[in-house]
Amino acid sequence: MIARVAALALVFGLSAMAQAQSVFTQGSDKPVEIEADDGIEWQRDAKAYVARGNARARRDGIEIRADTLTAFYRDGADGAGQQIYRIDADGVVRIESRNEKAFGDKGVYHIDEAVFVLIGSKLRLETATAVITARDTLEYWDQRQLVVARGEAIVIGKEGRLRADILTAHLGVGGNREIEQIDAFGNVLVSTGTEIARGDEGVYNPRTGIARLCGNVRITRGKNQLNGKCADINLITGVSRLTGGRVKGIFTPAK
């Protein structure tokens, strides 16, 4: 009964002041604001707050939205307040940070490390220069300025796309936070409008539109194929160039 009364008081308090001040504070002096349409429940024994109905949490430029948010807290030093260290998101999850947006079905935000991990059937990250999708997990490392997509990870550019088992996107610093480089590992495939290139690993620069593949590289255009050690593929112009030693070409004459 005590937990229920306290929860109701917290819900009404949030309705009046959610936009004006933070509800919880971190030891790093970065506030966490949480609000929801259907109220917030305090689970005393679990040391958690559960926000339901268009729930939203904000901290230091990062906003998380979901059907339900569960914020786990620990008691501060010498009993000085509560520190939220983890937020679980469930149902139509969306995270926004500066110029990026990420989507999934479920997610966990580790606040101390500023790491958000998304899982679900339609994982997607949108930036100003590219869209990244994944099958297994999508990890957003804010402090390290990294995005890691695992499982049939795909980055879609303006003129083509790159697919691999794992993609690691490096975000730039400053106001625009554009993707500066994407590293690809395992079963790498680059497709343009006219050809398909495969390799063991690769690096893609969204600004130049050039993807560099290395390791058992095979470039296929129609029935013709080029084999080599490395290759540079320009996703904008469609021009490919094999490098790194002897190159082999297989050309099938037209009937």
Side-chain angles (χ1 to χ4, degrees), residues 132-146:
I132 298 176
T133 63
R135 181 195 62 201
D136 298 336
T137 62
L138 188 63
E139 305 167 13
Y140 182 89
W141 298 70
D142 186 59
Q143 294 179 351
R144 296 174 59 184
Q145 294 148 11
L146 286 176

Side-chain angles (χ1 to χ4, degrees), residues 129-182:
T129 55
V131 175
I132 298 176
T133 63
R135 181 195 62 201
D136 298 336
T137 62
L138 188 63
E139 305 167 13
Y140 182 89
W141 298 70
D142 186 59
Q143 294 179 351
R144 296 174 59 184
Q145 294 148 11
L146 286 176
V147 175
V148 182
R150 302 179 188 274
E152 293 184 8
I154 298 173
V155 55
I156 302 173
K158 296 179 179 180
E159 304 295 337
R161 69 176 191 169
L162 184 150
R163 187 185 73 191
D165 295 338
I166 299 175
L167 292 177
T168 301
H170 303 263
L171 302 176
V173 297
N176 53 22
R177 300 267 294 186
E178 295 180 353
I179 296 177
E180 293 186 341
Q181 177 178 306
I182 297 176

Side-chain angles (χ1 to χ4, degrees), residues 64-69 87-95 102-109 116-123 136-138:
I64 306 167
R65 297 185 181 187
D67 294 339
T68 303
L69 293 176
I87 298 177
D88 290 1
D90 189 15
V92 194
V93 181
R94 173 173 176 167
I95 176 173
F103 305 85
D105 296 329
K106 294 184 178 181
V108 179
Y109 180 32
F116 199 98
V117 181
L118 281 170
I119 61 174
S121 58
K122 295 182 179 179
L123 300 174
D136 298 336
T137 62
L138 188 63

Side-chain angles (χ1 to χ4, degrees), residues 28-248:
S28 61
D29 295 328
K30 300 297 184 181
V32 176
E33 299 179 2
I34 298 178
E35 59 186 31
D37 291 344
D38 299 333
I40 298 177
E41 175 184 314
W42 175 36
Q43 299 182 356
R44 181 179 54 188
D45 295 339
K47 289 189 174 182
Y49 292 96
V50 182
R52 295 185 174 91
N54 190 27
R56 181 166 58 185
R58 292 188 297 265
R59 177 180 188 262
D60 192 25
I62 296 178
E63 180 174 279
I64 306 167
R65 297 185 181 187
D67 294 339
T68 303
L69 293 176
T70 303
F72 296 91
Y73 68 88
R74 51 177 173 252
D75 296 326
D78 300 325
Q82 299 167 344
Q83 298 176 349
I84 294 179
Y85 63 91
R86 170 178 161 177
I87 298 177
D88 290 1
D90 189 15
V92 194
V93 181
R94 173 173 176 167
I95 176 173
E96 296 186 17
S97 176
R98 298 173 177 88
N99 294 333
E100 302 89 38
K101 297 178 182 179
F103 305 85
D105 296 329
K106 294 184 178 181
V108 179
Y109 180 32
H110 302 278
I111 294 179
D112 293 340
E113 296 83 14
V115 177
F116 199 98
V117 181
L118 281 170
I119 61 174
S121 58
K122 295 182 179 179
L123 300 174
R124 185 172 83 257
L125 173 75
E126 297 179 356
T127 73
T129 55
V131 175
I132 298 176
T133 63
R135 181 195 62 201
D136 298 336
T137 62
L138 188 63
E139 305 167 13
Y140 182 89
W141 298 70
D142 186 59
Q143 294 179 351
R144 296 174 59 184
Q145 294 148 11
L146 286 176
V147 175
V148 182
R150 302 179 188 274
E152 293 184 8
I154 298 173
V155 55
I156 302 173
K158 296 179 179 180
E159 304 295 337
R161 69 176 191 169
L162 184 150
R163 187 185 73 191
D165 295 338
I166 299 175
L167 292 177
T168 301
H170 303 263
L171 302 176
V173 297
N176 53 22
R177 300 267 294 186
E178 295 180 353
I179 296 177
E180 293 186 341
Q181 177 178 306
I182 297 176
D183 299 330
F185 306 95
N187 299 308
V188 182
L189 182 149
V190 175
S191 61
T192 65
T194 58
E195 63 186 19
I196 295 176
R198 294 177 172 84
D200 295 335
E201 58 186 28
V203 177
Y204 173 58
N205 187 327
R207 294 182 179 178
T208 64
I210 296 177
R212 182 172 179 81
L213 301 185
C214 285
N216 300 310
V217 174
R218 303 175 305 282
I219 300 177
T220 304
R221 177 175 293 184
K223 294 183 179 181
N224 301 326
Q225 180 173 306
L226 295 174
N227 300 334
K229 183 178 180 181
C230 294
D232 293 330
I233 301 101
N234 192 315
L235 273 66
I236 299 176
T237 63
V239 176
S240 302
R241 183 170 63 92
L242 285 162
T243 62
R246 190 172 180 83
V247 176
K248 179 181 179 181

